[in-house]
Amino acid sequence: MTMVRIGDVWDRTVDVLRGRTAILIGIALLTLVLPGIVAGALGTVVPLQDPFIVAVPLVRLATLVLLVLGVLAMTAVASDPAVDRAQGLRIAAQRLLAALGVLIALVLAALALFIPAGVLFRLSGATLSGAGTLDMSHAASGYAAGAGLLVLLAALLGLWLSARIVPLFGIVVNERRGFGALRRSLALTKGSTLKLIGVLILYFILTTVAMLAATMVSGVVARLALGGDATAGVAFVVAVVRTLISAGATTVQSVFYARFYVAAIEREQRMAPLA
């Protein structure tokens, strides 16, 4: 059985990033960078007080929706060389509700994976502090160990599922599917799961290291430039840098996922006469 070659997908990803740089940057600036900067400014350089504090979660929700819109647009652009920025954004707007519905279903499924562990943690006597940290000092060891094992299993299952839905947005955009995109995604990733898991782990490591390094460096530089007392200004600079790193990583990820979708479709078409 012919498999999707991840090396070829990376090569095509690089080709798209080089050939369609201006289009991708334009989409990223509009849907990822600018909303992220606005969200980062709230509470730092733009202090909020009651009753305007309610604007923070609304802005964050809008930022998340724009993120999904941007990923859909970049997926359309990376999937079809005939799609430009305006067309990509138009396609993304048309498929936004379908994509949000699928994402909500995935979030609910992810939460459900951790419910058994949460129940065991509760039975163990562990408590959650006001700061959001888990206090295990009075927890029963048996329940706690079982809960920890369930968390590990849920995380591994989540990683497996993440690999199996790599072409999800490619399907939503190009095949105009809704919840049916989930089953279709499982079919297209058959035989490539382990390779995709490796890609996801590598992506996570590189992104985390880049984010931590950029945050530390930008924080130090901002303190030197603005002064140690400019807490809000330093926080805003760090937020901007984090937004830029995140936007770049999201762009690369979106293009890779789109090119994997295209490669999987090409494999499926090659195998069709043999079925």
Side-chain angles (χ1 to χ4, degrees):
M1 178 178 179
T2 304
M3 304 234 179
V4 174
R5 294 174 58 87
I6 299 299
D8 292 342
V9 176
W10 274 119
D11 291 340
R12 295 184 182 185
T13 298
V14 173
D15 290 341
V16 172
L17 291 172
R18 287 175 177 171
R20 318 212 76 188
T21 303
I23 296 175
L24 293 170
I25 288 178
I27 294 173
L29 286 174
L30 183 63
T31 62
L32 305 180
V33 177
L34 292 180
I37 291 175
V38 171
L42 295 180
T44 54
V45 295
V46 182
L48 293 177
Q49 298 179 348
D50 289 333
F52 301 105
I53 195 70
V54 72
V56 174
L58 294 177
V59 170
R60 288 177 179 171
L61 177 61
T63 301
L64 180 59
V65 172
L66 286 172
L67 168 64
V68 176
L69 181 72
V71 171
L72 290 171
M74 287 186 282
T75 299
V77 168
S79 301
D80 186 350
V83 175
D84 58 17
R85 182 174 62 183
Q87 290 174 311
L89 289 171
R90 184 166 59 252
I91 293 171
Q94 293 170 350
R95 304 305 299 151
L96 180 60
L97 290 180
L100 289 175
V102 174
L103 286 177
I104 290 173
L106 287 173
V107 169
L108 293 177
L111 292 176
L113 288 177
F114 290 93
I115 288 177
V119 171
L120 282 186
F121 271 124
R122 184 66 176 174
L123 292 175
S124 72
T127 57
L128 195 64
S129 68
T133 58
L134 195 64
D135 183 6
M136 302 290 296
S137 58
H138 302 291
S141 59
Y143 281 115
L149 179 60
L150 287 178
V151 168
L152 177 60
L153 291 176
L156 292 175
L157 184 56
L159 180 60
W160 174 85
L161 181 60
S162 298
R164 297 305 300 269
I165 61 172
V166 160
L168 182 65
F169 275 7
I171 298 167
V172 171
V173 166
N174 295 285
E175 301 184 17
R176 306 188 69 82
R177 296 175 185 248
F179 293 108
L182 292 169
R183 184 171 61 181
R184 176 73 168 142
S185 183
L186 294 177
L188 290 181
T189 53
K190 187 176 181 180
S192 301
T193 306
L194 291 179
K195 292 180 180 179
L196 289 173
I197 287 176
V199 171
L200 292 178
I201 292 174
L202 178 61
Y203 171 85
F204 174 77
I205 292 173
L206 293 177
T207 303
T208 301
V209 171
M211 189 71 75
L212 290 175
T215 299
M216 292 177 60
V217 172
S218 61
V220 171
V221 172
R223 285 189 180 88
L224 292 175
L226 302 177
D229 296 331
T231 305
V234 172
F236 176 68
V237 170
V238 171
V240 170
V241 171
R242 290 175 64 89
T243 296
L244 292 173
I245 297 294
S246 178
T250 300
T251 300
V252 173
Q253 184 183 40
S254 300
V255 174
F256 175 84
Y257 284 10
R259 296 316 304 176
F260 179 90
Y261 165 77
V262 173
I265 292 297
E266 292 174 350
R267 178 194 63 177
E268 185 179 63
Q269 292 173 346
R270 289 195 304 268
M271 298 298 296
L274 304 177

